[in-house]
Amino acid sequence: MPNGVKNTLIIGATSAIAAELSVECAARGERLFLVGRDPVKLQKVAGAAGAAVVGVAAADFRELEQGTALVAQAQAALGSIDSVFIAHGLLPDQEETERSFAAAEEAFVVNLLSVVSFVIPLANLFESQRRGSLVVIGSVAGDRGRPRNYTYGAAKGGLAIYLQGVRSRLASSGVRVVTIRLGPVDTPMTRSHRKNALFAQPGAVAKTIALAREHGPDDVYVPWFWAPIMLGVRSLPEALFQRLRFLSGR
Ligand SMILES: NC(=O)c1ccc[n+]([C@@H]2O[C@H](COP(=O)([O-])OP(=O)(O)OC[C@H]3O[C@@H](n4cnc5c(N)ncnc54)[C@H](OP(=O)(O)O)[C@@H]3O)[C@@H](O)[C@H]2O)c1
């Protein structure tokens, strides 16, 4: 078993990437507790991971007060929690979030606040047990505000800053906090997007994320080639950025 990980909680387990992660962790001999919104999909993901799954819980994460109770439920089922993946997310219609505050609010609630609702009890648990690894899937969209997706990007960017703080807070407690800055992946989230060579596949991404839990940088681009690409994108002066329509267009 890698790094002494026995008991793993997967939040947002019905995401295409988390479903692959569940199978990956099961193959590594880990016991799993899966939390997701859709009970039917959850059973399907649990079925694919087999006997490794000791329990599941269904919840809509917009109901923010449930975070602490769901973590307690997972801890009771697993006995203890060694590692956590947080994988849910919502890519909204950007223009809808510009017309409707409710749409923008939902994007922030799902992508940022609901994650915080889980991270608070998990960080306190890991701090008290002086071990644990917390892996959260963010996005390259959080690196720079772009007209195409800045509401989603702002939520993911805020999340990266939040996790940076948690990471430093818990460093002396032996707790590993990993931010995954994920590039485009061919999943239901990007169903309507035109695919190009930069799109990754969920199975390959899940394998890389599982490895990132144990080794390497704790703030990492997946796939790796997004690191130099985003360095360039972040470094462009605003006036130049706005002239480059492939970056700053819709
Ligand atoms: N695909 C990409 O190109 C890409 C790029 C960068 C980052 N990411 C991030 O990668 C992670 C995994 O996404 P994915 O690509 O695997 O997409 P996905 O298959 O569409 O999964 C999204 C997941 O979020 C869950 N979710 C959305 N709203 C929720 C809510 N209110 N309550 C509970 N769960 C909710 C969905 O639940 P249901 O199953 O019930 O719908 C689904 O499990 C997300 O954090 C996403 O932001 C994805």
Side-chain angles (χ1 to χ4, degrees):
M1 214 153 295
N3 225 10
V5 171
K6 291 195 292 288
N7 297 324
T8 297
L9 166 60
I10 303 185
I11 296 170
T14 59
S15 101
I17 294 166
E20 298 281 352
L21 269 171
S22 305
V23 172
E24 180 71 23
C25 293
R28 290 161 171 246
E30 296 168 34
R31 298 167 70 243
L32 305 177
F33 191 91
L34 308 180
V35 186
R37 172 169 58 180
D38 180 334
V40 175
K41 276 200 219 169
L42 206 47
Q43 285 307 331
K44 215 170 140 196
V45 173
V53 179
V54 304
V56 301
D60 188 323
F61 302 161
R62 290 174 299 184
E63 291 162 29
L64 299 172
E65 66 291 343
Q66 300 174 105
T68 300
L70 287 164
V71 168
Q73 192 182 340
Q75 193 184 6
L78 289 166
S80 67
I81 303 175
D82 304 311
S83 101
V84 180
F85 294 99
I86 301 184
H88 63 281
L90 172 70
L91 181 61
D93 176 336
Q94 172 58 32
E95 293 187 36
E96 177 65 14
T97 68
E98 294 165 22
R99 287 187 293 270
S100 152
F101 174 71
E105 181 183 34
E106 183 182 31
F108 280 101
V109 167
V110 174
N111 292 306
L112 177 57
L113 296 181
S114 76
V115 181
V116 172
S117 80
F118 290 112
V119 171
I120 287 175
L122 287 165
N124 292 334
L125 173 69
F126 285 174
E127 188 172 44
S128 68
Q129 67 189 26
R130 298 193 68 76
R131 68 186 168 77
S133 54
L134 172 61
V135 180
V136 183
I137 305 184
S139 171
V140 293
D143 277 20
R144 183 151 195 169
R146 301 170 63 199
R148 204 170 287 161
N149 59 9
Y150 64 81
T151 307
Y152 172 77
K156 291 290 197 182
L159 179 60
I161 298 282
Y162 186 84
L163 294 170
Q164 192 175 43
V166 175
R167 179 179 304 120
S168 287
R169 169 189 152 203
L170 298 182
S172 60
S173 302
V175 176
R176 183 166 164 84
V177 177
V178 181
T179 305
I180 305 292
R181 294 184 191 254
L182 190 60
V185 186
D186 187 359
T187 70
M189 185 173 278
T190 56
R191 191 178 280 127
S192 62
H193 295 203
R194 195 176 317 138
K195 305 298 180 298
N196 59 37
L198 294 177
F199 269 76
Q201 291 304 313
V205 159
K207 281 191 170 42
T208 307
I209 292 174
L211 289 175
R213 175 179 61 178
E214 287 132 33
H215 310 288
D218 43 28
D219 191 336
V220 62
Y221 288 88
V222 175
W224 66 268
F225 53 76
W226 284 101
I229 293 174
M230 294 315 295
L231 177 62
V233 170
R234 282 195 315 275
S235 310
L236 284 172
E238 201 72 23
L240 176 57
F241 186 82
Q242 285 164 10
R243 280 204 294 277
L244 299 174
R245 299 308 292 166
F246 71 99
L247 287 174
S248 61
R250 286 288 198 186

